[in-house]
């Protein structure tokens, strides 16, 4: 019993050491969304000037939709743009966007330059709707099911790997679910 | 050529460290004097070799040798010389070299000054130091070699992070590392004692000066870091409970406990296995701090450039050093004999209470800092643990600690009378009442209740320490001349304790004052505007551009007046460093003894006509660092006690004055 | 890609944080001081380990403005915190809420103090032993009987 007491510091240290070791396999910057499996926040965003359709909570019902939060000033957004374009044009996923804290003319110029795969874009000038979505750094991407519930969130630029391994299977699954 | 010389010196140092560790351990086990005697010269040789490496790296930085990658990444030809020299340790690789310089310097000091240590203990201590040296030299050579060349060399370097180009931060790391590494001595003595299977008062007497030196420098290092944060980050915060800060605070708390428990071992031959454990834990927390800061495992505002490979390496070192020593502890410590007996109310009892509270405080910081990691690893979700948590858990432990800190020195060894001790503290009690009344009056009863508790504690600690000193020299009881004589002849360790304990009180005043009664004015000001704060007027006279060595600064001029009479001229700056494309704020501070007036220049406003100006009034804030420096001084004064000077105690005993205070 | 993002994060976090801007400050000082206190409880998500009160990141600014709007709209302090946690989860709270997964965090320090206190008390009892010397140890039953006998003899 007494000997066990002297062993206690060693055992505690083993626990801490294992935690440190396992800590390497995680990214402290990954933050989970509080909104998973919750309906999208109620919101209505106007379209970019000269465009017909904005974005609203009601508009996200009925189809499985990828909602991408982007801005023309965001460098990683440009990096993920080809991935999103392919997803929309070749893999047939409906992609809509929230244009986060941007100037309308900058956003339009950016889309003209890089292509516009989005079915519709809501302009979030002051970033308030983005806060309702729990966005903390562009780009962020959400997957919304037919009932308009948020089912998945990815922070940072989308990569082909994330699309293949997480988004496409999830889209398939949500579509068959009805 | 010179960088290669440094590289070879490091490799050679590794082999010397092997010699310092291996033969002496075998020699101590087999009582082979020749083998044991290898340790001393090896320790000195290792230090010289590491110094050569350090000098080589410094040379590369000073002459801006941009064929060395480390210089390219962290220096620039236009960087001021001070920061070329301090830039050596302002980066990961260089800081590890500085770390090992200090490690080997401590080892060499034992080799030189440890002549009267029992030969087996000395051999084992040096061997353990050698083992630590092997670990860190391997770490540097394998993952963090500062002598790598770049071919072809670029024309100029990337410059050092401008936040580090600051006198406060330039000297913060050497103090911090001296503290961290200094605790390796306590660790080596502890492991050596476990191997020997023997701990006695003599052992504690050898360990204490090293611990005291490490503790003092670590205190200074932490104080400097906090001072830097205060004036450089632009809004006067001085402690953020950030993981990196906590990483230095945990060894400090554990080291403080060690410092006190070692007294009990020295005086009363008790608490031996506990003190050994504390020595191991203190150094392990230093190692863990290194691991946390450099592995990127926790997020922090001011982490080093992180590299998982380095993190993994340090984790292995930690596992061997801490795991190994704790295993050894579990095997050998149960056999240690419990020493002297004492009543719960006694000096020993007070020091046990001190250790209980300090250990709890260490554990609190440990839990708070690592809880997010633990939870995440167990897949139980993400959590943030920030200042509000630490403030509401650490402070409740700290309060009884300070209360007891004052009473402890009044208790006699073995058995004491608590009531009598408290009676002798009547003056401190009056001081508490007066201080609280004055604070409540000056702030019109304002501020949270905790602020008044803080003021009470500060007064209790400060005056309590002075009362204890007055008692020792029998002030006002014997003629002044006799008191003076007694003071002069008091052991330096008594002086040290009084200074350090009183300065804890000063620091508490400072922390309380600025946390509770800080006021601020944040506004957009144009030249000619005046802001008013805490009874002062701050007139924004002008703003202009001034060139610096490797930066360009916007410098504003403020005239501070109080009721029309001039107080100070303050010139805060906003510096842009073109190479790193970073901006820093150089706040301007006018300090009176009782408060700081603090002005920071922010960005120009959108239309460019006005500037965002932050003005703060921080009551009592300088006392935080006066207290910190004082604690360090207390430690060093204590260190000059003749008891710690090797060989002195026995010879001089007869010459000691008649006064033999109970300490 | 990850490196790019990381670089962006680091760029934000390395800057000296000049937090609250003059145009954010509320005119009502009582409301403003409540806003400051709430801001100190909320984590700036992009800068890690800084509160939104300390950070100059754009999101921190947006949240500071949001906090002030909610307060002006008449929300209570807890109401404002709930508004933010609804969107960002408990992760934004620098003072983690007390629940099953944070039990050890909150109880841990005090449990250690308690257990340590008990261990210390037991240790001190053990140390006391003969220690304090025969002169203070309480009288044993036998001693008391003998003493009583002596005293009675004196009385008689």
């Amino acid at each position: 019993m007494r000997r066990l007491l002297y062993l206690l510091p060693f055992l505690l240290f083993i626990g801490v050491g294992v935690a440190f070791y396992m800590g390497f396999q995680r990214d402290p910057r990954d933050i989970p969304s509080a909104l998973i499996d919750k309906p999208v926040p109620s919101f209505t965003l106007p379209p970019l000037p000269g465009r017909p359709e904005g974005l609203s909570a009601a508009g996200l019902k009925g189809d499985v939709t990828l909602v991408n939060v982007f801005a023309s000033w965001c460098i990683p957004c440009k990096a993920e743009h080809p991935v999103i374009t392919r997803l929309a044009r070749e893999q047939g996923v409906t992609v809509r966007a929230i244009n986060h804290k941007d100037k309308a003319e900058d956003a339009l110029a950016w889309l003209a330059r890089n292509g516009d795969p989005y079915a519709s874009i809501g302009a979030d000038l002051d970033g308030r709707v983005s806060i309702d979505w729990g966005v903390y750094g562009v780009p962020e991407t959400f997957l919304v099911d037919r009932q308009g519930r948020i089912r998945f969130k990815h922070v940072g630029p989308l990569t082909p790997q994330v699309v293949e391994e997480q988004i496409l299977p999830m889209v398939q699954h949500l579509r068959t679910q009805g | 050529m010179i960088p290669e010389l440094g590289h070879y010196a490091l490799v050679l140092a590794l082999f010397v460290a092997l010699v310092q560790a291996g033969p002496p351990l075998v020699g101590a086990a087999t009582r082979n004097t020749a083998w044991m005697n290898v340790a001393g010269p090896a320790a000195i040789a290792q230090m010289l070799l590491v110094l050569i490496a350090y000098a080589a790296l410094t040379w590369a930085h000073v002459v801006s040798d941009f064929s060395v990658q480390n210089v390219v990444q962290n220096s620039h030809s236009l960087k001021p010389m001070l920061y070329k020299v301090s830039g050596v340790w302002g980066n990961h690789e260089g800081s590890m070299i500085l770390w090992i310089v200090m490690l080997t310097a401590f080892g060499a000091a034992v080799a030189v000054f440890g002549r009267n240590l029992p030969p087996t203990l000395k051999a084992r201590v040096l061997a353990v130091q050698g083992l630590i040296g092997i670990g860190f030299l391997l770490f540097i050579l394998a993952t963090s070699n500062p002598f790598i060349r770049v071919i072809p060399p670029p024309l100029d370097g990337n410059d050092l992070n401008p936040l580090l180009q600051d006198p406060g931060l330039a000297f913060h790391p050497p103090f911090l590392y001296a503290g961290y590494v200094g605790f390796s001595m306590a660790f080596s003595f502890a492991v050596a004692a476990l191997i020997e299977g023997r701990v006695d008062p003599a052992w504690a007497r050898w360990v204490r000066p090293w611990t005291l030196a490490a503790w003092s420098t670590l205190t200074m290092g932490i104080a400097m870091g906090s001072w830097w944060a205060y004036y450089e980050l632009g809004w006067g915060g001085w402690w953020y409970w950030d993981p990196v800060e906590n990483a230095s605070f945990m060894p400090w708390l554990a080291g403080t406990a060690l410092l006190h428990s070692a007294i009990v071992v020295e005086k009363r031959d008790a608490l031996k296995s506990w003190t050994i454990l504390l020595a191991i834990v203190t150094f392990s927390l230093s190692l863990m701090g290194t691991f946390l800061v450099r592995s990127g495992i926790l997020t922090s505002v001011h982490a080093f450039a992180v590299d998982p490979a380095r993190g993994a390496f340090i984790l292995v070192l930690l596992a061997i050093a801490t795991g190994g020593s704790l295993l050894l502890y579990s095997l050998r410590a149960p056999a240690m004999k419990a020493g002297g007996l004492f009543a719960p109310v006694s000096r020993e009892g007070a020091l046990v209470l001190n250790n209980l509270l300090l250990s709890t405080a260490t554990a609190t910081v440990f839990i708070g800092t690592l809880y997010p990691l633990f939870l995440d690893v167990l897949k139980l979700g993400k959590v943030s643990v920030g200042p509000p948590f630490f403030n509401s858990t650490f402070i409740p432990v700290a309060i009884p600690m300070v209360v007891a800190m004052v009473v402890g020195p009044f208790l006699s060894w073995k058995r004491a009378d608590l009531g009598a001790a408290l009676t002798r503290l009547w003056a401190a009690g009056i001081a508490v009442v007066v201080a609280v009344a004055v604070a409540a009056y000056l702030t019109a009863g304002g501020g949270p209740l905790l602020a008044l508790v803080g003021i009470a504690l500060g007064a209790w600690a400060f005056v309590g320490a002075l009362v204890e000193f007055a008692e020792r020299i029998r002030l006002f009881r014997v003629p002044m001349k006799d008191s003076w004589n007694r003071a002069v002849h008091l052991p330096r360790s008594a002086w040290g304790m009084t200074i350090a304990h009183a300065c804890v009180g000063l620091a508490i005043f400072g922390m309380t004052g600025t946390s509770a009664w800080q006021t601020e004015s944040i506004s957009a000001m144009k030249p000619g505007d005046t802001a008013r704060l805490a009874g002062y007027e701050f007139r924004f006279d002008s703003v202009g551009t001034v060139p610096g060595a490797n930066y360009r600064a916007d410098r504003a001029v403020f005239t501070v007046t109080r009721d029309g009479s001039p107080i100070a001229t303050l010139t805060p700056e906003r510096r842009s460093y073109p190479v790193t494309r970073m901006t820093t704020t150089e706040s301007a501070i006018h300090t009176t003894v009782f408060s700081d007036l603090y002005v920071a220049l922010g960005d120009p406003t959108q239309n460019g006509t006005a500037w965002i100006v932050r003005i703060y009034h921080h009551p009592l804030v300088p006392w935080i660092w006066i207290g910190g420096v004082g604690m360090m001084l207390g430690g060093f004064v204590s260190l000059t006690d003749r008891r710690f000077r090797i060989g002195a105690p026995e010879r001089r005993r007869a010459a000691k004055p008649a006064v033999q205070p109970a300490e | 890609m990850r490196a790019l993002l990381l670089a962006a994060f680091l760029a934000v976090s390395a800057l000296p944080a000049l937090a609250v801007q003059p145009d954010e400050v509320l005119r009502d000082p009582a409301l403003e001081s409540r806003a400051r206190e709430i801001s100190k409880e909320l984590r700036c998500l992009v800068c890690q380990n800084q509160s939104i009160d300390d950070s100059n990141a754009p999101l921190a600014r947006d949240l500071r403005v949001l906090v002030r709007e909610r307060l002006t709209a008449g929300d209570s302090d807890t109401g404002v915190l709930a508004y933010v946690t609804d969107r960002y989860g408990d992760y934004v709270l620098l003072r983690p809420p007390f629940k099953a997964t944070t039990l050890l965090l909150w109880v841990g320090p005090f449990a250690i103090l308690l257990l340590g206190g008990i261990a210390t008390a037991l240790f001190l009892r053990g140390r006391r032993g003969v220690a304090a010397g025969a002169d203070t140890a309480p009288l044993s039953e036998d001693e008391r009987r003998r003493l009583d006998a002596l005293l009675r003899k004196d009385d008689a």
Side-chain angles (χ1 to χ4, degrees):
Chain A
M1 181 62 209
R2 199 172 134 78
R3 287 195 85 87
L4 215 61
L5 202 64
Y6 284 98
L7 197 59
L8 194 64
F10 178 73
L11 297 177
L12 285 176
F13 171 74
I14 295 289
V16 172
V18 168
F20 282 158
Y21 176 73
M22 290 171 73
F24 281 123
Q25 287 139 29
R26 59 181 257 293
D27 181 358
R29 292 173 203 274
D30 271 343
I31 307 167
S33 171
L35 297 172
I36 298 297
D37 295 335
K38 297 218 175 100
V40 296
S42 68
F43 74 101
T44 313
L45 283 175
L48 286 166
R51 302 243 170 164
E53 204 186 335
L55 193 65
S56 66
L60 288 172
K61 281 190 184 147
D63 193 7
V64 177
T65 312
L66 198 75
V67 177
N68 178 236
V69 185
F70 81 103
S72 67
W73 46 262
C74 139
I75 299 161
C77 293
K78 198 172 166 184
E80 71 166 1
H81 205 63
V83 180
I84 290 178
T85 306
R86 205 171 321 123
L87 198 60
R89 302 227 170 110
E90 291 166 25
Q91 284 142 335
V93 178
T94 311
V95 184
R96 298 177 192 273
I98 294 175
N99 182 219
H100 175 84
K101 296 182 82 172
D102 219 340
K103 288 203 188 83
E105 63 267 28
D106 290 350
L108 289 170
W110 191 84
L111 288 168
R113 207 165 47 244
N114 297 308
D116 179 4
Y118 301 119
S120 72
I121 301 172
D124 184 22
L125 293 180
D126 61 0
R128 190 51 56 88
V129 169
S130 300
I131 287 181
D132 287 339
W133 280 73
V135 172
Y136 61 89
V138 279
E140 287 189 13
T141 305
F142 298 83
L143 197 58
V144 179
D145 68 12
R146 286 182 172 152
Q147 285 75 39
R149 276 175 307 177
I150 295 173
R151 300 300 290 267
F152 172 80
K153 173 183 176 179
H154 178 78
V155 177
L158 282 185
T159 59
Q161 193 192 4
V162 176
V163 169
E164 285 301 321
E165 290 174 7
Q166 293 179 279
I167 292 188
L168 286 178
M170 191 87 177
V171 169
Q172 286 297 317
H173 171 73
L174 292 177
R175 278 186 176 154
T176 52
Q177 243 183 6
Chain B
M1 188 56 215
I2 287 182
E4 278 69 31
L5 198 69
H7 193 172
Y8 295 143
L10 276 188
V11 177
L12 205 52
L14 174 63
F15 286 104
V16 173
L18 285 166
V19 173
Q20 183 183 334
L25 271 186
V26 178
T30 57
R31 309 283 145 177
N32 182 331
T33 318
W35 284 41
M36 286 196 280
N37 286 345
V38 171
I44 295 166
Q46 199 201 348
M47 180 193 70
L48 292 176
L49 286 166
V50 172
L51 266 181
I52 290 173
Y54 186 78
L57 185 61
T58 306
W59 184 86
H61 272 260
V62 166
V63 303
S64 293
D65 181 353
F66 292 120
S67 70
V68 176
Q69 195 183 340
N70 189 259
V71 181
V72 176
Q73 285 169 351
N74 300 292
S75 192
H76 189 274
S77 52
L78 292 178
K79 194 169 70 167
M81 184 52 72
L82 168 66
Y83 303 122
K84 283 184 180 168
V85 175
S86 75
V88 175
W89 62 72
N91 63 83
H92 165 75
E93 291 84 358
S95 70
M96 288 321 300
I97 304 267
L98 177 66
W99 173 291
I100 194 133
V101 164
M102 299 200 166
L103 183 78
T104 52
F106 275 106
V110 172
V112 174
F113 299 115
R115 260 176 259 115
N116 69 334
L117 284 173
T120 54
L121 183 67
K122 182 180 170 186
R124 282 169 171 145
V125 167
L126 285 173
V128 177
Q129 284 278 317
L131 287 172
I132 302 171
I134 293 171
F136 276 92
L137 283 166
L138 276 175
F139 174 63
I140 293 173
L141 290 169
T143 72
S144 319
N145 187 348
F147 296 112
I148 293 172
R149 295 275 196 175
V150 203
I151 300 169
L155 286 175
D156 216 322
N158 305 344
D159 211 349
L160 180 67
N161 183 340
L163 285 173
L164 305 182
Q165 296 188 32
D166 173 277
L169 211 61
F171 296 103
H172 158 71
F175 279 100
L176 206 61
Y177 296 160
Y180 282 170
V181 175
F183 287 134
S184 74
M185 292 303 310
F187 174 83
S188 296
F189 269 97
V191 173
L194 285 173
I195 299 174
E196 301 248 305
R198 216 170 86 87
V199 175
D200 52 24
W203 177 88
R205 186 168 286 193
W206 286 309
V207 169
R208 268 188 74 204
W210 302 109
T211 311
L212 205 51
W215 179 88
S216 304
T217 47
L218 184 58
T219 305
M220 191 62 195
I222 293 174
M224 278 178 120
S226 129
W227 184 52
W228 169 82
Y230 170 72
Y231 68 73
E232 181 76 17
L233 295 183
W235 76 108
W238 48 274
W239 190 257
Y240 300 96
W241 295 108
D242 181 85
V244 169
E245 292 172 336
N246 293 348
S248 63
F249 194 41
M250 285 186 268
W252 186 86
L253 287 169
T256 311
L258 172 61
L259 211 55
H260 289 90
S261 75
I263 300 176
V264 182
V265 182
E266 188 190 340
K267 298 281 180 190
R268 300 279 299 126
D269 199 24
L271 294 190
K272 289 186 283 194
S273 64
W274 170 249
T275 303
I276 294 274
L277 181 62
L278 267 183
I280 294 173
V281 166
T282 303
F283 182 59
S284 298
L285 287 171
S286 302
L287 281 181
M288 193 190 76
T290 313
F291 170 72
L292 291 180
V293 174
R294 289 158 208 265
S295 66
I297 204 162
L298 292 173
T299 51
S300 157
V301 194
H302 33 189
F304 268 92
V306 295
D307 178 346
R310 289 173 187 164
F313 204 113
I314 303 181
L315 184 57
V316 171
L317 288 185
L318 189 68
I320 295 172
T322 306
S325 54
L326 287 178
L327 195 60
L328 185 65
Y329 176 81
S330 71
L331 296 173
R332 305 299 293 264
M336 277 182 197
K337 296 224 163 40
L341 297 166
F342 52 87
V345 177
S346 61
R347 181 73 68 84
E348 295 93 323
L351 287 167
V352 169
L353 179 65
N354 151 307
N355 268 235
L356 169 66
L357 293 169
L358 278 168
S359 306
T360 307
T362 313
T364 303
V365 179
F366 183 88
I367 292 174
T369 308
L370 293 175
Y371 204 79
L373 174 69
F374 294 148
L375 213 56
D376 196 18
V377 161
L378 296 173
K379 305 225 181 316
L380 290 172
K382 296 259 184 177
V383 68
S384 300
V385 180
F389 168 82
F390 289 102
N391 287 337
S392 52
T393 50
F394 184 82
I395 294 174
V397 183
I399 291 174
M401 203 146 70
V402 177
V403 171
M405 180 186 90
V406 174
V407 184
F410 282 89
L411 302 177
S412 50
W413 293 103
K414 296 184 190 174
R415 178 164 43 88
D417 183 348
L418 186 61
L422 288 174
T423 322
R424 285 153 76 197
L425 272 163
W426 61 269
I430 291 175
V432 167
V433 175
V434 171
V436 169
V438 168
Y441 173 75
L442 284 180
T443 60
L449 180 68
L450 195 58
L452 294 182
V453 173
I455 292 295
L457 280 178
W460 176 247
F462 182 73
V463 179
L466 297 188
V467 168
E468 197 269 340
F469 190 77
E471 287 258 321
R472 275 178 195 242
I473 61 172
R474 304 187 61 76
L475 194 66
F476 306 131
R477 298 215 194 135
V478 296
M480 272 318 239
K481 213 173 126 248
D482 290 0
S483 284
W484 175 253
N485 253 327
R486 284 167 180 272
V488 171
H489 291 293
L490 267 186
R492 298 272 178 80
S493 58
W495 275 93
M497 186 202 76
T498 302
I499 296 171
H501 280 198
C503 284
V504 171
L506 289 185
I508 294 172
F509 276 129
M511 293 168 191
T512 308
T514 181
S515 308
W517 299 302
Q518 159 201 331
T519 49
E520 64 180 27
S521 144
I522 303 167
S523 56
M525 293 175 80
K526 292 197 236 341
D529 287 356
T530 299
R532 306 180 59 84
L533 184 71
Y536 296 89
E537 300 87 37
F538 296 77
R539 198 180 68 234
F540 186 3
D541 293 328
S542 63
V543 59
T545 312
V546 283
N550 52 348
Y551 62 87
R552 214 178 49 85
D554 295 311
R555 178 186 290 166
V557 179
F558 285 82
T559 305
V560 186
T561 53
R562 179 165 199 144
D563 305 323
S565 53
I567 301 283
T569 303
L570 293 173
T571 54
E573 290 181 11
R574 199 172 149 276
R575 293 185 182 166
S576 320
Y577 289 78
V579 180
T580 47
R581 276 177 290 165
M582 283 175 69
T583 310
T584 66
T585 43
E586 301 295 317
S587 50
I589 299 168
H590 172 73
T591 182
T592 68
V593 181
F594 290 99
S595 67
D596 275 6
L597 300 175
Y598 184 117
V599 180
L601 186 65
D603 297 323
T605 52
Q606 293 277 318
N607 55 21
T609 55
W611 293 78
I612 291 168
V613 177
R614 288 148 211 284
I615 304 173
Y616 299 88
H617 178 246
H618 290 294
L620 299 182
V621 79
W623 295 18
I624 296 177
W625 300 291
I626 295 172
V629 172
M631 281 187 241
M632 178 201 67
L633 283 179
F636 281 126
V637 168
S638 219
L639 208 51
T640 62
D641 195 295
R642 71 161 69 86
R643 223 172 53 244
F644 296 144
R645 268 180 270 144
I646 319 302
E650 272 67 39
R651 248 183 295 131
R652 303 255 182 100
R653 181 144 289 165
K656 269 198 175 178
V659 197
Q660 271 290 14
E663 30 134 7
Chain C
M1 251 348 73
R2 175 133 245 142
L4 237 153
L5 194 71
L6 221 72
F9 273 134
L10 289 177
V12 173
S13 61
L15 285 174
L18 287 172
V20 183
Q21 302 292 312
D23 55 344
E24 296 167 14
V25 176
L26 294 174
R27 225 166 274 142
D28 177 353
L31 224 49
E32 173 65 18
S33 87
R34 273 173 67 199
R36 296 298 296 272
E37 287 309 311
I38 293 173
S39 302
K40 284 178 188 150
E41 301 272 332
L42 291 171
R43 178 181 193 144
C44 161
L45 292 126
V46 275
C47 18
Q48 317 281 350
N49 272 323
Q50 273 180 306
S51 74
I52 60 169
D53 195 53
D54 291 342
S55 169
N56 60 347
L59 177 67
R61 181 189 158 86
D62 290 350
L63 285 174
R64 282 197 301 271
V65 172
L66 179 78
V67 163
R68 284 166 174 78
E69 275 179 23
R70 300 306 310 173
L71 283 176
T72 318
D75 274 17
S76 66
D77 292 4
T78 48
V80 177
L81 290 176
Y83 186 93
V84 180
T85 45
D86 281 349
R87 283 150 184 79
Y88 290 97
D90 286 346
Y91 186 74
V92 289
L93 298 176
L94 286 169
R95 183 197 306 270
F98 188 82
K99 56 184 187 183
T101 52
T102 58
L103 187 75
L104 273 180
L105 174 70
W106 283 106
V107 176
F110 299 100
I112 287 174
L113 185 60
L114 190 72
L115 289 177
I118 293 171
T120 306
L122 289 176
F123 169 75
L124 288 177
R125 268 176 66 104
R127 292 287 75 194
R128 195 179 48 187
V130 249
D135 48 356
T136 47
L139 298 178
S140 69
E141 267 311 301
D142 183 45
E143 283 170 332
R144 190 190 314 283
R145 238 179 287 115
R146 289 212 322 256
L147 186 67
D148 282 351
L150 278 170
L151 288 171
R152 244 178 277 123
K153 211 189 288 170
D154 272 6
D155 283 346

